[in-house]
Amino acid sequence: MTEKISLAGDLGSGKSTVSDILIKRLGAEYYSTGAIVRSIAEKRGMTVTELNKYMETHPEIDHEIDDGIAALSEVDRFLIIDSRMAWHFTKGTFKVYLSCDIETSALRIMNANRRGEHSATLEETIATTRTRRESEKKRYLEQYGVDIKDLSNYSLIVDTSNATPDEVAECIITAFEEWKSNKSYSRVFITPVRLNFPEIELDGDVISPLLEKIACGESIPDVEVSERDGEFYLVGGFDSAMAYTMSFTTFIPAVLVDKEPSGDYVQMKDSI
């Protein structure tokens, strides 16, 4: 069976734009449930947010969409599936989640100017986006017992907040090649400004050799991150994370761990 990539993620995380790049780069076909949902909302004279709320008590709409996603398991073609639930219903996909901070998401949604998906101001759009996120999480948890925000469900998590669509697509393609030879592949790629760093002292004697290894393309100790309510916290590999940041890399490669953050944290963007 031809391998497939399922692409889920936060609203406004750039799934459609990244999918367009992946299709061209990989020669794949595209399947999107987002376009289907927008069409249903328009036919019913609803905004997408209103339809999401309506679907909480009318599961037949979700089931109709999900039956189509499940059927893709038997399609012998290379597909990029832009869908909240393809990772769950379509068998054997490379499971990708695109994450984005709420303000950047809202700005992108406003700039896309899709009917019924944004409000007049950024503050209102942030509130609407947050409502849609919570509605979707509630709906899928109640209908399927699945938490779509549980990032441990995915093989790859990419933070798109401060990265170009081409950089995100390149990250996915590289990871996809690794996943094909190692189906237990599991990584997070997060931009430094999105990550919450613990407030501890730097040790230049430790970081300098790590900088040299990064420059030479050598591996360094893993960075460990924990996710809580859409926020990412550095909980292990502090020196490695700082070395990547000081190397001006787009992404910090990391592993996701279930560890409770402790102490004081600061985001890199707040300390610049």
Side-chain angles (χ1 to χ4, degrees):
M1 186 65 65
T2 304
E3 286 154 339
K4 303 172 177 68
I5 298 175
S6 58
L7 201 60
D10 294 330
L11 299 161
S13 59
K15 296 186 296 297
S16 298
T17 304
V18 171
S19 292
D20 287 342
I21 298 171
L22 293 176
I23 291 163
K24 293 173 184 175
R25 291 277 305 274
L26 298 174
E29 297 180 35
Y30 182 55
Y31 186 97
S32 169
T33 57
I36 296 171
V37 170
R38 286 190 290 273
S39 175
I40 293 172
E42 188 169 350
K43 289 177 181 177
R44 292 175 178 267
M46 297 178 175
T47 66
V48 175
T49 301
E50 289 169 342
L51 180 64
N52 279 331
K53 294 296 291 183
Y54 178 80
M55 290 166 74
E56 288 179 9
T57 54
H58 291 78
E60 67 276 5
I61 299 175
D62 268 326
H63 294 164
E64 181 180 348
I65 295 171
D66 295 337
D67 286 346
I69 297 171
L72 296 177
S73 301
E74 306 306 319
V75 174
D76 194 14
R77 296 195 301 276
F78 189 3
L79 300 177
I80 306 296
I81 311 171
D82 177 354
S83 164
R84 299 280 188 275
M85 291 294 288
W87 65 270
H88 180 72
F89 286 110
T90 309
K91 297 177 183 177
T93 67
F94 178 48
K95 304 171 183 179
V96 179
Y97 192 94
L98 301 187
S99 178
C100 189
D101 71 82
I102 190 72
E103 183 172 329
T104 302
S105 292
L107 283 169
R108 290 174 179 172
I109 290 169
M110 292 183 73
N111 289 335
N113 201 31
R114 291 172 179 161
R115 181 188 296 182
E117 290 198 33
H118 67 85
S119 303
T121 68
L122 176 60
E123 291 74 17
E124 290 172 341
T125 303
I126 289 174
T128 299
T129 302
R130 187 171 281 115
T131 297
R132 285 181 59 191
R133 286 183 178 183
E134 289 304 313
S135 175
E136 288 181 346
K137 178 179 178 178
K138 176 184 176 183
R139 195 166 79 242
Y140 294 126
L141 192 60
E142 289 180 348
Q143 291 191 33
Y144 308 113
V146 169
D147 183 357
I148 60 173
K149 300 300 184 184
D150 180 357
L151 298 185
S152 66
N153 290 318
Y154 306 94
S155 304
L156 174 68
I157 302 102
V158 185
D159 168 33
T160 72
S161 304
N162 198 41
T164 68
D166 283 311
E167 288 171 328
V168 174
E170 183 63 35
C171 182
I172 293 172
I173 292 170
T174 301
F176 180 55
E177 291 302 317
E178 293 190 39
W179 173 82
K180 286 194 290 185
S181 59
N182 176 18
K183 295 301 173 67
S184 63
Y185 180 94
S186 177
R187 298 294 281 179
V188 179
F189 287 84
I190 186 162
T191 57
V193 295
R194 178 86 183 280
L195 186 58
N196 290 280
F197 285 78
E199 292 188 316
I200 58 179
E201 292 293 326
L202 295 175
D203 188 341
D205 291 338
V206 174
I207 294 176
S208 292
L210 298 177
L211 287 167
E212 293 177 8
K213 287 187 176 183
I214 292 173
C216 295
E218 299 178 21
S219 62
I220 64 175
D222 277 339
V223 174
E224 296 182 340
V225 299
S226 178
E227 186 268 340
R228 295 290 185 274
D229 297 323
E231 292 287 333
F232 288 87
Y233 297 87
L234 175 61
V235 294
F238 176 81
D239 294 320
S240 293
M242 286 306 305
Y244 281 118
T245 301
M246 294 168 68
S247 298
F248 299 103
T249 56
T250 300
F251 298 109
I252 298 174
V255 293
L256 184 71
V257 297
D258 187 16
K259 187 185 295 184
E260 198 66 37
S262 61
D264 296 324
Y265 278 81
V266 62
Q267 280 195 320
M268 185 64 63
K269 65 181 181 182
D270 296 329
S271 61
I272 297 174

